[in-house]
Amino acid sequence: MIDAVIVGAGFSGLYMLHRLRQLGISARVFEAGDDLGGTWYWNRYPGARCDVESMQYSYSFCDDLQQEWHWSERYASQPEILRYLNHVADRFDLRKDIRFKTRVTAAIFDETLSCWEVHLDRGDRVLARFCIMATGSLSIPKIPDIKGLDSFKGDVYHTGQWPHEAVHFNDRRVAVIGTGSSGIQTIPVIAQQAAHVYVFQRTPNFSIPAYNVPLDVDYEQSWKSNYAERRRHAQESSRIAIAAEGTIRNISALEATPEERLQEYEKRWKIGGLVFLYAFNDLAINNEANKTAADFVGSKIRATVSDAAIAEPLVPRDHPIGTKRLCVDSHYYETYNRDNVTLISLRNENIQEITPTGIQTKNKTYDVDIIVFATGFDAMTGAVLKIDIRGRAGRTLREKWTEGPRTYLGLMTAAFPNLFIITGPGSPSVLTNMVVSIEQHVEWIAECLHHLRTHHLDSIEATVEAEDAWVEHVNDAANATLYPMANSWYVGANIPGKPRVFLPYIGGFALYRKKCEEVVSRGYEGFRLAKCS
Ligand code: FAD
Ligand code: NAP
């Protein structure tokens, strides 16, 4: 029996393996893909890049690593992030303990031995004391069930499952369905190549310019000279695990004068990126305050898109800004000024079916050669629930989570001992710079396994009481904000039949981190630690 099975070889799985090895804990990683990288292995669509600055969207655990790596752009592209993860794997010699092309299909807890029997799609099984899900929050792509899709004679792609060979758009008519972060990143790039792009938009999203540029040498150096302090700031003092001067201003948008507000929004619009949302302290909790920011972005859309008839349907009206993941783009709105781009608002003409030659809406048939689905993921619970996980008394996780996920700290779930989820539901995860959240979870889990070993213990399990209290706290935190108002993937609204539950913890990363540390210092409060009988 090995100590730990780790499922997934993205940012989470790679660091988990490295950390356990450092502690002398044996581990094997199983990865469904042909190679490592997770998100950055699968999402190869044109225009894919991070929306947290590269200097921060990277591991902090090894100073030599962060000093030696050079990012070429403010926001690194998918190929560069993938190169970085490969560098990390080589540098720490990780590949030898990763089995690729291997999907974990089931994990069954053996109560007598206090260990997990992990089933692989190749037919074999592995016994491990601990099972660690590093399966990703956004790793199960969702293609909507549209009548006639199978009949389409052209090429079909999903952004989250992009082929490894180059996709040629030249002289081709392309439909892009979906205008979330992926659609907004890929549409401008495809439009530069394709004969025509038809964008099928169900809900317009708010997007802020990235102003992506080659990384300035002085800027890079200022980060490298101050990494320790800035990383500490991101880890210990930030709600979103991002270090940025004056990220969140402690001023209400409603107390500021209209001129002050405009000045602040203009300033942040010029900086670009996610910091826009933190201009005032009440944008996430007060609809009136939020509307001042939403109106500002609406005015920018109208100023950018020259045809008012195209600009208007691009202006979001049905959700407060930020309550769906804010998008960060490169020339997205400008793209609608091109002659070869047509916006189809599905509010006016919904898709009725896909025909062998294109997409038919209520009003018209659009003949296309390629359909790109930028339709998102079964987020946060999809990958874990795809595995048949059985805990105490053979109870399945799917059964336990029928009405929504229940976890303690987003790390463990009661009645499933020794099963950890990295950035699981109920943790800040997708509301933060994910690499920081991943490092925090990996380090917490590694320390926990080390603690169990040094105290000659075999198992750890969340108590039902601690879990209930945490779930209530996660819900209360969400309900104190505007976030639950939006039909977003944060509440599972993009997946038909998924229970409407706010999935991540919105109480803030720094606070959450402190809570996790307190739990440990109080002897793993809320967990039951035991020796195998
Ligand atoms: P993943 O990278 O998703 O890796 C999980 C791996 O587990 C996958 O390779 C998958 O194949 C494997 N797996 C799943 N189930 C099984 C199974 N049953 N058996 C075997 N293997 C399995 N976050 C940010 O903070 N900033 C960003 O700028 C940002 N940009 C993003 C851009 C895109 C296009 C997407 C989709 C997400 C982005 N994210 C971003 C979120 C991103 O997912 C995380 O930042 C991070 O990469 C997650 O790493 P992970 O290792 O936890 O999960
Ligand atoms: P997403 O945000 O869920 O967006 C999916 C889009 O597809 C939405 O516009 C949605 O419309 C639309 N859609 C879904 N089903 C549809 C249907 N049946 N018909 C028409 N439209 C449909 O997915 P995503 O863009 O892949 O992004 C997911 C997350 O990944 C992001 O929120 C972000 O966290 C991460 N990401 C980050 C970056 C980055 O900038 N670094 C890039 C990509 C992804 P509705 O809104 O109406 O549902």
Side-chain angles (χ1 to χ4, degrees):
M1 176 162 65
I2 55 172
D3 293 324
V5 155
I6 300 166
V7 191
F11 267 101
S12 299
L14 295 176
Y15 183 36
M16 193 74 246
L17 173 62
H18 175 61
R19 198 76 194 100
L20 292 185
R21 267 203 205 152
Q22 282 181 322
L23 295 169
I25 296 172
S26 61
R28 289 284 286 165
V29 178
F30 296 103
E31 165 57 57
D34 292 359
D35 210 336
L36 57 82
T39 290
W40 305 103
Y41 170 82
W42 296 106
N43 291 262
R44 295 164 181 254
Y45 60 86
R49 58 179 71 250
C50 53
D51 62 3
V52 168
E53 289 192 12
S54 317
M55 294 308 293
Q56 305 206 53
Y57 190 70
S58 47
Y59 291 120
S60 70
F61 68 81
C62 170
D63 192 47
D64 286 347
L65 171 66
Q66 65 186 5
Q67 294 296 337
E68 78 202 7
W69 185 259
H70 165 69
W71 293 108
S72 68
E73 293 177 279
R74 181 180 182 196
Y75 296 102
S77 65
Q78 171 272 330
E80 189 168 23
I81 302 172
L82 191 57
R83 272 200 302 282
Y84 168 75
L85 288 171
N86 275 283
H87 168 75
V88 172
D90 293 342
R91 194 185 197 288
F92 299 105
D93 194 18
L94 301 179
R95 281 179 183 275
K96 66 174 186 238
D97 286 325
I98 308 175
R99 211 166 110 185
F100 295 109
K101 299 184 197 174
T102 309
R103 181 171 289 282
V104 169
T105 53
I108 319 287
F109 187 65
D110 182 323
E111 292 192 62
T112 317
L113 296 175
S114 195
C115 72
W116 286 92
E117 187 182 274
V118 177
H119 296 227
L120 310 171
D121 62 354
R122 307 257 189 109
D124 48 343
R125 298 168 190 188
V126 186
L127 276 189
R129 174 75 68 208
F130 303 98
C131 185
I132 304 172
M133 295 297 166
T135 42
S137 313
L138 295 158
S139 56
I140 303 294
K142 171 74 185 157
I143 292 194
D145 196 8
I146 302 178
K147 189 178 149 201
L149 175 58
D150 288 347
S151 74
F152 184 62
K153 297 267 187 288
D155 300 324
V156 176
Y157 305 104
H158 187 287
T159 50
Q161 239 167 3
W162 202 261
H164 288 218
E165 322 71 64
V167 175
H168 298 289
F169 294 102
N170 298 46
D171 304 324
R172 325 243 356 233
R173 297 158 302 169
V174 184
V176 180
I177 302 179
T179 51
S181 303
S182 303
I184 280 177
Q185 282 189 332
T186 204
I187 288 162
V189 185
I190 297 177
Q192 282 168 19
Q193 301 162 28
H196 203 94
V197 178
Y198 297 95
V199 178
F200 291 83
Q201 171 190 269
R202 189 164 66 183
T203 310
N205 249 304
F206 292 96
S207 190
I208 307 290
Y211 303 119
N212 186 39
V213 283
L215 200 63
D216 177 72
V217 181
D218 293 338
Y219 184 72
E220 181 181 5
Q221 200 42 55
S222 88
W223 267 91
K224 288 190 171 174
S225 309
N226 295 287
Y227 246 141
E229 183 199 325
R230 292 188 189 176
R231 296 286 203 187
R232 201 174 317 112
H233 177 77
Q235 289 159 356
E236 294 175 8
S237 319
S238 167
R239 283 182 68 81
I240 51 171
I242 292 178
E245 279 306 310
T247 305
I248 302 183
R249 291 172 76 238
N250 209 14
I251 303 170
S252 154
L254 299 179
E255 281 164 17
T257 64
E259 294 72 31
E260 282 165 350
R261 273 201 304 262
L262 187 63
Q263 198 184 1
E264 188 61 28
Y265 291 143
E266 283 289 0
K267 187 177 109 191
R268 285 175 187 249
W269 185 266
K270 285 195 184 100
I271 296 169
L274 299 172
V275 293
F276 184 84
L277 269 190
Y278 305 94
F280 296 100
N281 64 7
D282 48 359
L283 299 184
I285 53 175
N286 182 313
N287 218 349
E288 205 187 328
N290 185 287
K291 201 167 170 328
T292 64
D295 287 348
F296 175 84
V297 176
S299 72
K300 289 292 184 192
I301 297 171
R302 291 187 184 95
T304 310
V305 180
S306 37
D307 182 342
I310 302 174
E312 281 314 308
L314 285 167
V315 175
R317 290 183 179 80
D318 73 343
H319 63 282
I321 184 168
T323 56
K324 284 188 171 203
R325 166 78 176 206
L326 189 65
C327 302
V328 178
D329 71 275
S330 295
H331 314 296
Y332 175 63
Y333 294 118
E334 292 88 329
T335 297
Y336 291 96
N337 294 332
R338 295 176 68 103
D339 292 338
N340 72 334
V341 176
T342 303
L343 176 70
I344 295 122
S345 172
L346 299 178
R347 291 280 146 85
N348 308 327
E349 43 171 328
N350 55 11
I351 296 176
Q352 294 199 321
E353 70 173 295
I354 294 178
T355 67
T357 57
I359 297 182
Q360 191 181 320
T361 68
K362 202 175 91 204
N363 304 345
K364 202 174 158 182
T365 300
Y366 297 88
D367 282 333
V368 294
D369 306 300
I370 297 176
I371 300 176
V372 173
F373 283 98
T375 43
F377 302 87
D378 184 354
M380 298 208 73
T381 53
V384 172
L385 290 180
K386 209 168 167 196
I387 303 170
D388 182 12
I389 300 175
R390 291 163 192 259
R392 286 201 186 284
R395 190 181 178 203
T396 67
L397 190 64
R398 287 174 193 154
E399 206 180 304
K400 179 177 172 183
W401 285 8
T402 310
E403 288 173 21
R406 302 189 69 78
T407 70
Y408 179 37
L409 300 172
L411 275 162
M412 298 195 84
T413 183
F416 294 79
N418 294 0
L419 177 79
F420 297 90
I421 307 170
I422 300 178
T423 66
S427 73
S429 62
V430 291
L431 299 174
T432 68
N433 172 1
M434 286 284 280
V435 184
V436 176
S437 282
I438 286 168
E439 287 191 319
Q440 185 252 338
H441 267 192
V442 165
E443 283 158 19
W444 193 96
I445 294 167
E447 189 185 324
C448 171
L449 266 51
H450 181 66
H451 175 91
L452 294 175
R453 194 172 55 178
T454 50
H455 290 79
H456 309 289
L457 297 163
D458 302 305
S459 76
I460 175 165
E461 180 177 358
T463 66
V464 174
E465 296 74 26
E467 179 171 286
D468 287 348
W470 184 251
V471 170
E472 197 179 330
H473 176 57
V474 170
N475 288 332
D476 289 348
N479 290 333
T481 73
L482 305 173
Y483 277 70
M485 289 169 69
N487 289 325
S488 65
W489 59 258
Y490 291 145
V491 296
N494 62 330
I495 304 294
K498 194 164 170 171
R500 193 178 178 104
V501 172
F502 193 78
L503 296 166
Y505 173 57
I506 202 169
F509 177 76
L511 203 78
Y512 169 82
R513 183 187 179 91
K514 205 180 266 169
K515 167 76 182 167
C516 290
E517 283 167 3
E518 273 168 22
V519 162
V520 173
S521 65
R522 291 184 188 145
Y524 287 90
E525 186 180 51
F527 291 101
R528 198 174 303 113
L529 279 55
K531 183 148 186 57
C532 193
S533 49

